Amino acid sequence: MGDRNHLSHHRALSLEDGASVVFHKVGSSGSGSGGEESGSSGGEESGSDERTEATIYLQGNNNCNDGQKTTLCPPACCVRSRLPAGGGEGSEKPTTCPGLGLFYAFLSTVFFSIIALLVKTIEGIHAIEISAIRCFFQMLFTMPLLIYHKTGFLGPRDKRIYLVLRGFIGSNAMILLYYAVQQMPLADATVIMFSNPVFTSILAWIFLKERCTIWDLVFTVFTISGVLLIARPPFLFGEHRRGIEGNYANHIKGTIAAFAGAIGAAFTFVVLRKMGKSVHYYLSVWYYAVIGFIECIITLSVLGEWKIPYCGRDRWILMLIAVLGIAGQTFLTKALQIEKAGPVALMRTIDVVLAFIFQFIFFNRAPTMWSLGGALCVVLSTSGVALQKWYSNSRKS
């Protein structure tokens, strides 16, 4: 046999169970055809007749595969058998806390209810001015978020017309809601405004060609019936109207404003569906704030209604309305990202309950039977729409 110069390198890796993996790398040179080492031999031959052999020994306290060379690691000693499925600790997906989406929806509902309460408590300030101040602060809070997410301030070119529509219709719906809250009882305005999911289904059928069932028409009839019970128009209920807050003319104005605001909110949801997920949420909020602020400033200048609140308390309330509005929209968006739309819509029915509670506690006004009947019709209708959509989507998935 020819002379050989053996170069051996050893490396050991300690394992949790005391086993060690030893790598032997043997390099040889010479004119011989190859030799035999203690262990298995194998490798690649080159023009210079150099041979590299690699052997793996498993050594451990459990004497697994002791004294034998192997190319496959037995299951009892294999490190991979001890790793979790999916490739280790880093590959485990974090699980979402059950009910977190519903909790976010509950928080958004509470914030929106508090906003309506604060708007009701402010006196001497026009609803358009309250909307302008909210839009102004919303612009200030949204601008850093757009810069952080690098979304730009204009959005995709083919979606800008929808963003403008979303901003214009959404800001008008907000103004109408605030005006309705100032003109009629808080609970009644909230109930009428809450009827927008029913109209969303009808408008989505008209503009988006979504499927409309007989149940959607039934829920629409129930909703309109609830609005009529709250408004109590003279041609249906006569001139004897009890439980009306203030002037009946203002009550009718508030009812019309709330109903128009509900239609506007439904149009907003249809526009958002048309845009889909290709437009970042904060960009939609940005258009909502900018267009609403410009519209409110122009309208206030024409009407001459701009005035600084006399009381420092009202100034703080106006800023609080803006902050709570951003928080409510953020939590509602996060809820829709985690939870399905059906359960979120059902959680939003708490808004009606909170409106009645706030009206009784802060304004000492017990709801009338007409208001309770109208609220029941609207809540049942919106809940029915949510459950129907939830059931339909569950069957598809």
Side-chain angles (χ1 to χ4, degrees):
M1 296 179 61
D3 296 335
R4 293 190 177 182
N5 296 324
H6 298 277
L7 297 176
S8 176
H9 305 280
H10 299 269
R11 183 174 58 180
L13 175 63
S14 297
L15 304 177
E16 293 180 358
D17 57 355
S20 61
V21 182
V22 182
F23 296 91
H24 298 273
K25 185 177 181 182
V26 182
S28 61
S29 61
S31 58
S33 60
E36 188 176 350
E37 296 287 338
S38 59
S40 64
S41 62
E44 300 178 357
E45 294 185 1
S46 60
S48 60
D49 197 22
E50 292 183 355
R51 177 174 298 176
T52 302
E53 297 182 2
T55 58
I56 300 178
Y57 294 92
L58 292 177
Q59 299 172 349
N61 297 331
N62 55 1
N63 295 327
C64 177
N65 231 22
D66 190 17
Q68 299 181 3
K69 47 180 190 175
T70 180
T71 57
L72 295 176
C73 182
C77 303
C78 184
V79 180
R80 285 176 293 182
S81 65
R82 300 180 181 273
L83 294 177
E89 297 180 358
S91 64
E92 293 183 358
K93 295 182 179 179
T95 57
T96 304
C97 178
L100 183 61
L102 295 179
F103 178 69
Y104 286 153
F106 174 76
L107 288 179
S108 69
T109 301
V110 172
F111 289 153
F112 289 138
S113 299
I114 295 176
I115 288 174
L117 173 64
L118 295 177
V119 171
K120 187 69 175 178
T121 59
I122 296 178
E123 298 180 358
I125 303 297
H126 201 280
I128 300 178
E129 183 176 349
I130 298 175
S131 304
I133 294 175
R134 174 181 170 176
C135 290
F136 174 74
F137 282 100
Q138 194 161 313
M139 288 168 54
L140 294 182
F141 281 99
T142 308
M143 187 181 299
L145 297 173
L146 293 177
I147 297 174
Y148 175 78
H149 290 282
K150 300 178 181 180
T151 60
F153 293 95
L154 297 178
R157 187 178 300 273
D158 58 334
K159 302 294 183 181
R160 291 175 187 174
I161 182 63
Y162 299 113
L163 287 168
V164 172
L165 282 175
R166 184 266 185 274
F168 179 76
I169 300 175
S171 59
N172 278 281
M174 173 185 61
I175 295 172
L176 290 170
L177 172 62
Y178 290 172
Y179 180 79
V181 168
Q182 290 182 336
Q183 299 298 324
M184 65 188 305
L186 174 64
D188 292 347
T190 303
V191 168
I192 297 175
M193 191 67 187
F194 186 74
S195 63
N196 65 81
V198 178
F199 301 116
T200 302
S201 300
I202 301 298
L203 294 175
W205 169 62
I206 296 174
F207 294 99
L208 302 180
K209 308 303 179 183
E210 293 186 3
R211 184 171 177 266
C212 182
T213 64
I214 187 63
W215 284 109
D216 292 320
L217 300 178
V218 172
F219 295 144
T220 303
V221 172
F222 263 88
T223 300
I224 296 176
S225 301
V227 173
L228 291 176
L229 288 176
I230 293 174
R232 279 166 279 173
F235 66 89
L236 288 179
F237 295 86
E239 297 296 331
H240 184 66
R241 296 175 294 270
R242 300 179 57 184
I244 298 296
E245 178 181 313
N247 189 0
Y248 180 72
N250 293 335
H251 184 85
I252 290 296
K253 291 178 183 178
T255 301
I256 296 174
F259 190 77
I263 300 294
F267 267 112
T268 302
F269 293 143
V270 171
V271 173
L272 290 174
R273 286 188 189 180
K274 184 67 176 179
M275 287 191 299
K277 298 181 180 179
S278 59
V279 178
H280 198 279
Y281 165 75
Y282 287 122
L283 193 60
S284 175
V285 176
W286 169 255
Y287 270 83
Y288 172 88
V290 172
I291 294 179
F293 181 72
I294 295 174
E295 180 186 358
C296 291
I297 292 298
I298 295 175
T299 306
L300 289 172
S301 301
V302 173
L303 297 177
E305 290 288 344
W306 181 268
K307 61 182 67 176
I308 299 177
Y310 301 108
C311 179
R313 165 184 165 273
D314 288 344
R315 301 173 188 175
W316 286 107
I317 288 178
L318 289 173
M319 289 188 287
L320 183 59
I321 288 174
V323 174
L324 291 178
I326 298 172
Q329 289 179 341
T330 301
F331 279 114
L332 180 59
T333 304
K334 293 178 70 67
L336 292 173
Q337 290 175 346
I338 298 175
E339 190 60 72
K340 294 182 179 179
V344 173
L346 291 176
M347 183 62 69
R348 291 278 291 146
T349 57
I350 299 178
D351 196 354
V352 176
V353 179
L354 292 176
F356 279 104
I357 294 175
F358 289 161
Q359 179 176 286
F360 180 76
I361 295 177
F362 294 97
F363 302 104
N364 196 24
R365 283 190 57 85
T368 63
M369 295 302 297
W370 298 109
S371 297
L372 290 176
L376 182 62
C377 290
V378 173
V379 170
L380 288 178
S381 301
T382 54
S383 301
V385 171
L387 289 173
Q388 180 194 12
K389 299 298 182 184
W390 187 12
Y391 175 75
S392 177
N393 293 334
S394 299
R395 290 189 60 183
K396 290 179 181 179
S397 60

